[in-house]
Amino acid sequence: DSASKGFSFKGIKDYLDCYRSGKLTPSQVAKNVIAMLEDCDKSTPPLRAIVQWDQEQIMLMAEASTARYRNKCTLSYLDGIPVCLKEEFKVVPYHQRVGTVFLGTEPETEDATVAKKLREAGAIIIGVSNMHELGTGTTGCNPNRYHKIPRNPYKPNHFTGGSSSGSAAAVAAGLCPVAIGTDGGGSVRIPASFCGVVGLKGTFGRISCHGSFPLSYSTVSVGPICTSVADAAIVYSILAEPDPLYPYGLKQPKATLSDMCAPDLKGLKLGVDWTFFKACDAEVLSICEKAVEYLQSLGATVVEVSLPEMEEVQVAHVICILSEMRDMLQPDFNKHFQEMNLETRATLALASQFTALDYITANRQRTRSMRFLREIFSTVNCIVTPAVASTAPRIHESDLLTGSSDTSFTVQSMRFMQLANLTGIPGLVVPVGYSTAGLPVSLQVMAKWWDEAVLLRIGLKLEQFRHPTKKPAIYYDMLA
């Protein structure tokens, strides 16, 4: 239970309270969702969070859920909860376009593992969400005809962040309390941070990537974007387990939520590399420093640590992710070059310049960095950084037509993200305040492999630091 002051997002518990008390049924909520999806397509500018949806599909799932509530045989805490999945996943009967105009020409006939699990849990899949084309950027700017540019619910003339852009926008705008994204270079955590919601990148392999378009096999993790840490914990507990169809997660330890609801943070050591921590905008720094002090007031100890070779980590991550994407997209790069956004062409052309030697050296750096982290995590429970070094950038008129390419922004936005993607550790971003312009600011907590439980424990406390919560400029209340 979160005792929030001011505005509070409608989360899983609010939906369940309505369903259990009989105030609303999943079918009534689904009708609201459909009406709001129609509305945000027509609004000026259009929100463009959900890019494919089907009224009949939504109602079928909602009616089945309504019957289960009537018969008191619900499937999970997600029964009747509206969710969306990034267009990178196979979701029947939608097209797996991955943000392009040339992939996913036929509707899907088989679900990705996460889509299948959400259905089995009784969730109402309201559609697939917008994304940065092929996941190649961190703004969410995608000017092609199927996608257009998703708007930040807090400031519609600002970007959502990417590449899980529509997922974060859908949650922040109230279309659904849960969305699923993928994170290869901050793609869950950056948009969650820019849109003022919670984003969890699981440990590499923790949540199955089967049925997600395999852009980069060694850096990408799947994770939920939610209105609260408690909701992220619920979704994580349902999705996190080995999948025979996804070899990288087979040997994982059981996912737990141990000590998540401990009354304080006594006994926890938070590692901070202050030089690294401070490499962000002054406004972001000021809020994030206060958030760290707040965690200390709850009994956590701050321990100064040194994160070695961070520049090498950043270069190694870029070489790994882009080399793997370029390899995966080789046929498309040759065949569909003219249909790609200009920014995507430039990024993949840059990726073509990396050599096998670069890739091998980058992976040696990965091994070194994992060893450094093992040592650091023997002395602290987690590493704390700002989530993103700046707030969401403004959308310019030209971006709507030709897209946007700003390498310095991309580098800056990924600064605190890449360590977790290169080494596979989990990371959680939680909103902690707003800039003077009213844009959300978040803090990031990272832990050792498979220790998502400690992130959720710290995250629950961190949520209480931001008050009051501001209502987004675009917000739909599905339970009204």
Side-chain angles (χ1 to χ4, degrees), residues 91-318:
V91 183
V92 180
Y94 304 109
H95 296 260
Q96 190 189 21
R97 292 196 177 116
V98 203
T100 70
V101 295
F102 55 84
L103 289 171
T105 50
E106 295 298 317
E108 288 306 317
T109 53
E110 202 180 314
D111 278 328
T113 298
V114 283
K116 187 164 157 279
K117 277 180 165 303
L118 290 167
R119 279 191 216 274
E120 287 165 357
I124 303 171
I125 297 173
I126 66 166
V128 292
S129 48
N130 206 341
M131 63 177 286
H132 204 104
E133 186 177 58
L134 295 167
T136 56
T138 59
T139 56
C141 182
N142 188 352
N144 73 41
R145 67 179 183 272
Y146 285 144
H147 298 87
K148 300 292 179 235
I149 295 176
R151 302 295 178 143
N152 190 318
Y154 273 96
K155 286 229 171 217
N157 56 348
H158 285 250
F159 283 117
T160 53
S163 64
S164 308
S165 49
S167 298
V171 171
L175 293 174
C176 49
V178 173
I180 308 298
T182 57
D183 190 314
S187 286
V188 158
R189 293 163 293 155
I190 294 169
S193 177
F194 281 170
C195 293
V197 289
V198 171
L200 172 67
K201 172 196 114 50
T203 304
F204 177 75
R206 177 62 105 178
I207 298 174
S208 174
C209 277
H210 176 73
S212 164
F213 195 78
L215 289 164
S216 160
Y217 73 91
S218 78
T219 65
V220 174
S221 295
V222 176
I225 295 175
C226 299
T227 52
S228 70
V229 174
D231 287 4
I234 289 170
V235 180
Y236 165 75
S237 65
I238 286 171
L239 297 181
E241 65 174 359
D243 172 10
L245 300 171
Y246 184 64
Y248 301 120
L250 289 178
K251 295 277 197 287
Q252 61 177 279
K254 193 164 170 44
T256 72
L257 301 175
S258 57
D259 291 336
M260 178 175 152
C261 298
D264 53 40
L265 299 177
K266 287 194 177 99
L268 287 186
K269 291 181 176 156
L270 317 179
V272 179
D273 178 332
W274 286 111
T275 311
F276 184 57
F277 190 101
K278 288 177 177 170
C280 59
D281 292 357
E283 240 181 338
V284 171
L285 177 62
S286 154
I287 294 169
C288 289
E289 281 179 330
K290 290 191 185 84
V292 172
E293 284 167 21
Y294 177 73
L295 295 176
Q296 278 179 287
S297 76
L298 295 172
T301 316
V302 169
V303 178
E304 284 202 40
V305 295
S306 163
L307 296 174
E309 303 178 4
M310 284 312 294
E311 274 190 42
E312 289 83 347
V313 164
Q314 287 159 341
V315 173
H317 168 260
V318 167

Side-chain angles (χ1 to χ4, degrees), residues 32 46 51 58 118 130 159 181 198 216 221 227 240 242 296 299 314 378 394 399 404 408 419 429 432 439 444 466 472:
N32 288 349
V51 287
I58 296 171
L118 290 167
N130 206 341
F159 283 117
V198 171
S216 160
S221 295
T227 52
Q296 278 179 287
Q314 287 159 341
S378 68
R394 206 182 163 83
D399 301 337
S404 156
S408 65
L419 180 64
V429 298
V432 287
L439 286 160
Q444 171 175 242
R466 171 188 73 171

Side-chain angles (χ1 to χ4, degrees), residues 206-466:
R206 177 62 105 178
I207 298 174
S208 174
C209 277
H210 176 73
S212 164
F213 195 78
L215 289 164
S216 160
Y217 73 91
S218 78
T219 65
V220 174
S221 295
V222 176
I225 295 175
C226 299
T227 52
S228 70
V229 174
D231 287 4
I234 289 170
V235 180
Y236 165 75
S237 65
I238 286 171
L239 297 181
E241 65 174 359
D243 172 10
L245 300 171
Y246 184 64
Y248 301 120
L250 289 178
K251 295 277 197 287
Q252 61 177 279
K254 193 164 170 44
T256 72
L257 301 175
S258 57
D259 291 336
M260 178 175 152
C261 298
D264 53 40
L265 299 177
K266 287 194 177 99
L268 287 186
K269 291 181 176 156
L270 317 179
V272 179
D273 178 332
W274 286 111
T275 311
F276 184 57
F277 190 101
K278 288 177 177 170
C280 59
D281 292 357
E283 240 181 338
V284 171
L285 177 62
S286 154
I287 294 169
C288 289
E289 281 179 330
K290 290 191 185 84
V292 172
E293 284 167 21
Y294 177 73
L295 295 176
Q296 278 179 287
S297 76
L298 295 172
T301 316
V302 169
V303 178
E304 284 202 40
V305 295
S306 163
L307 296 174
E309 303 178 4
M310 284 312 294
E311 274 190 42
E312 289 83 347
V313 164
Q314 287 159 341
V315 173
H317 168 260
V318 167
I319 291 169
C320 286
I321 191 169
L322 287 185
S323 299
E324 289 167 11
M325 284 171 128
R326 182 68 181 80
D327 167 56
M328 173 65 207
L329 296 164
Q330 174 69 21
D332 300 300
F333 191 68
N334 294 333
K335 195 171 157 197
H336 297 290
F337 184 79
Q338 296 303 329
E339 296 163 85
M340 290 178 179
N341 290 339
L342 295 171
E343 181 197 13
T344 309
R345 294 185 214 175
T347 305
L348 293 176
L350 166 70
S352 314
Q353 302 307 305
F354 297 134
T355 63
L357 186 63
D358 293 329
Y359 185 69
I360 290 165
T361 310
N363 274 293
R364 286 187 176 141
Q365 178 63 47
R366 189 197 303 256
T367 308
R368 280 176 69 85
S369 297
M370 287 170 83
R371 196 173 69 233
F372 293 141
L373 282 179
R374 211 163 269 133
E375 285 166 18
I376 290 168
F377 285 129
S378 68
T379 59
V380 297
N381 300 91
C382 60
I383 295 166
V384 181
T385 69
V388 190
S390 64
T391 52
R394 206 182 163 83
I395 298 171
H396 298 286
E397 279 301 306
S398 62
D399 301 337
L400 303 172
L401 301 169
T402 52
S404 156
S405 179
D406 181 345
T407 311
S408 65
F409 168 76
T410 307
V411 170
Q412 182 195 33
S413 63
M414 285 168 43
R415 174 179 292 133
F416 299 117
M417 301 283 141
Q418 294 167 285
L419 180 64
N421 290 113
L422 186 71
T423 62
I425 58 174
L428 176 75
V429 298
V430 179
V432 287
Y434 306 90
S435 68
T436 46
L439 286 160
V441 171
S442 294
L443 193 75
Q444 171 175 242
V445 194
M446 295 176 281
K448 68 177 183 291
W449 301 270
W450 317 114
D451 197 5
E452 286 87 349
V454 77
L455 298 182
L456 296 163
R457 176 181 170 186
I458 295 166
L460 270 184
K461 295 287 178 270
L462 200 49
E463 262 179 326
Q464 298 161 6
F465 170 73
R466 171 188 73 171

